[in-house]
Amino acid sequence: MRIDVISIFPSYFDGLTLSLLGKAQSTGILDLQIHDLRDWTHDRHRTVDDTPYGGGAGMVMKPEPWGLALDELAPAGSDSPPTIIFPSPAGEVFHQSTARELAQREHLVFGCGRYEGIDERVFEEAATRGEVRLISLGDYVLNGGEVAVMAMIEAIGRLIPGVVGNPESLVEESHEDGLLEYPSYTKPSVWREREVPPILLSGNHGAIAAWRREQQLERTRRRRPDLLRDED
Ligand code: ADE
């Protein structure tokens, strides 16, 4: 999979060279390219924002650098158009199902907005280059899209076949079957007078599976009852 990220703070993404996603890049499973939006400016100050038409607080990201970035990373008339994602608190909420869907794509382009947002015409232009998605990490406001995009890339990247060594570990996680994960324990069997639930030491695989399922249901009912009602 190819992922391009456009940001005015490219060094936010340095952390994505670590761990599993770093390995996926060195083995060639993931081609992750981070771009500085200011490289598509032409003035001495590398300006990316300006005051809003109609007045109001804050600054708006200018369309011109975004247009040039799209021309390069999502050219018009391509026969393999990318999916272009703008993180935004005003977008659809990102779920595990969103990560699963986007992990199927060949090419993703993430455009990180800052300030009060991006000139609206950029979204219209982007829609001529591929499918455009506005995606929110959740119902809270971040200073910009970078942290949201890092989270999305990590959630998507680990679902690309070959990125996580043991694919079975993906199946048993929270949200994969619509429930929270069951509790896990390792040695020692007694730690600070706290015992591991005896059933896990019983060797009875059927009983262990049933206990884990019950724990998943109980946790989900208690912590996230919304998941038992929702489709996601
Ligand atoms: N940018 C600012 N807040 C955001 C959020 N909650 N999700 C995605 N992008 C954002």
Side-chain angles (χ1 to χ4, degrees):
M1 178 193 279
R2 160 97 182 209
I3 299 181
D4 289 284
V5 179
I6 308 162
S7 164
I8 58 166
F9 294 118
S11 47
Y12 257 100
F13 298 91
D14 290 352
L16 291 177
T17 58
L18 302 170
S19 186
L20 284 177
L21 289 192
K23 188 152 174 255
Q25 289 169 75
S26 46
T27 58
I29 296 176
L30 175 63
D31 178 9
L32 176 63
Q33 304 289 334
I34 311 297
H35 309 271
D36 187 341
L37 180 68
R38 294 188 198 276
D39 290 346
W40 286 288
T41 59
H42 294 300
D43 63 309
R44 200 156 56 88
H45 300 291
R46 294 165 47 95
T47 310
V48 291
D49 62 334
D50 208 334
T51 52
Y53 274 122
M59 301 290 271
V60 175
M61 292 188 109
K62 294 162 62 62
E64 299 95 324
W66 284 104
L68 295 173
L70 289 171
D71 290 346
E72 192 167 325
L73 303 176
S78 157
D79 35 63
S80 52
T83 298
I84 306 167
I85 299 161
F86 292 98
S88 165
E92 57 173 307
V93 175
F94 188 77
H95 290 290
Q96 187 66 18
S97 54
T98 324
R100 272 195 297 267
E101 183 197 346
L102 295 174
Q104 310 293 318
R105 303 286 200 273
E106 283 296 314
H107 185 194
L108 304 176
V109 176
F110 287 93
C112 302
R114 282 262 151 186
Y115 312 114
E116 295 309 305
I118 304 173
D119 186 303
E120 191 68 21
R121 294 167 291 182
V122 172
F123 306 112
E124 295 164 16
E125 180 72 11
T128 68
R129 312 303 179 85
E131 181 201 7
V132 170
R133 303 274 289 265
L134 266 65
I135 304 184
S136 170
L137 205 57
D139 291 337
Y140 40 81
V141 179
L142 304 167
N143 284 334
E146 282 77 7
V147 167
V149 167
M150 294 239 287
M152 290 186 226
I153 290 176
E154 184 152 312
I156 294 164
R158 60 198 298 286
L159 298 179
I160 303 169
V163 171
V164 170
N166 177 3
E168 263 182 43
S169 64
L170 296 176
V171 177
E172 296 194 351
E173 289 170 331
S174 291
H175 301 296
E176 269 307 326
D177 58 1
L179 298 175
L180 302 184
E181 207 173 20
Y182 54 75
S184 303
Y185 300 86
T186 186
K187 293 180 266 307
S189 62
V190 182
W191 174 72
R192 297 191 178 184
E193 297 177 22
R194 296 169 200 278
E195 290 181 13
V196 168
I199 186 118
L200 297 177
L201 311 178
S202 69
N204 182 339
H205 298 297
I208 291 171
W211 179 85
R212 286 179 165 165
R213 190 76 187 166
E214 187 43 48
Q215 291 289 313
Q216 284 191 281
L217 284 165
E218 195 277 323
R219 281 185 158 190
T220 309
R221 269 195 297 266
R222 186 158 38 88
R223 297 180 188 166
R224 293 292 306 277
D226 56 305
L227 293 181
L228 298 172
R229 294 189 293 269
D230 277 354
E231 279 305 292
D232 278 308

